[in-house]
Amino acid sequence: MTQTAGSAGSDAALSRDRYGRRAPVQGKDRKLRIAFVVFLVLLVSGTVWIGLDQANRDVTASIPSYRVTSDRSVEVQVEVRKDKGKEAVCVLRSRGSDGAEVGRKEVRIPAGVANTTLTEVLQTTDRPNTAELDGCRIA
């Protein structure tokens, strides 16, 4: 079957009638680009806000070392950094070899102390395997 120039044009018209015309690509492309830029700005802003929030905490703490002293206790060294005029509370916990929590203790750091290192003995219900800092907050 051979096509002539006239029938090729009519085939294109038939296709247009059947499937419709193509929508202008530029309008959709522009809206998509704008939406992407807005999303990107929100993502970067949120990331910066969360980072600044984490960096400006009122109290920070860490456990540089711990030592299992018996089947029912662990000795924990805690470093706390906070504003001198505020009292802080840190929660220590210990886990057994199966991962279950075997001990928990709240430690109060009084106002008047800014940066300090404490040594606390955490009593446990089973043999401790680790010592962890569950968090600190201003009291």
Side-chain angles (χ1 to χ4, degrees):
M1 172 182 221
T2 59
Q3 291 184 342
T4 61
S7 68
S10 64
D11 283 347
L14 243 168
S15 293
R16 238 187 343 267
D17 291 342
R18 181 179 291 168
Y19 300 112
R21 290 184 173 213
R22 287 185 105 167
V25 176
Q26 286 182 346
K28 285 186 178 181
D29 249 6
R30 184 168 185 237
K31 288 178 183 177
L32 187 62
R33 277 188 243 146
I34 290 171
F36 180 72
V37 168
V38 168
F39 171 74
L40 204 56
V41 166
L42 289 173
L43 181 68
V44 169
S45 299
T47 303
V48 168
W49 182 72
I50 289 170
L52 288 174
D53 183 52
Q54 294 292 323
N56 294 328
R57 290 209 160 166
D58 291 332
V59 59
T60 58
S62 63
I63 296 180
S65 68
Y66 66 90
R67 183 172 60 98
V68 176
T69 54
S70 74
D71 284 344
R72 299 278 187 234
S73 66
V74 60
E75 186 179 275
V76 185
Q77 186 179 13
V78 185
E79 289 181 355
V80 181
R81 293 164 297 285
K82 65 173 188 64
D83 186 16
K84 189 175 184 176
K86 298 178 181 177
E87 179 182 11
V89 177
C90 293
V91 178
L92 305 175
R93 73 175 173 185
S94 181
R95 294 180 184 261
S97 59
D98 61 352
E101 185 176 287
V102 295
R104 178 176 282 267
K105 181 178 185 179
E106 278 192 1
V107 179
R108 292 195 170 276
I109 299 90
V113 177
N115 300 331
T116 186
T117 301
L118 308 167
T119 302
E120 292 290 327
V121 176
L122 181 59
Q123 299 300 321
T124 62
T125 57
D126 201 1
R127 178 153 180 84
N129 192 33
T130 64
E132 301 171 345
L133 184 65
D134 198 23
C136 288
R137 62 181 168 73
I138 295 297

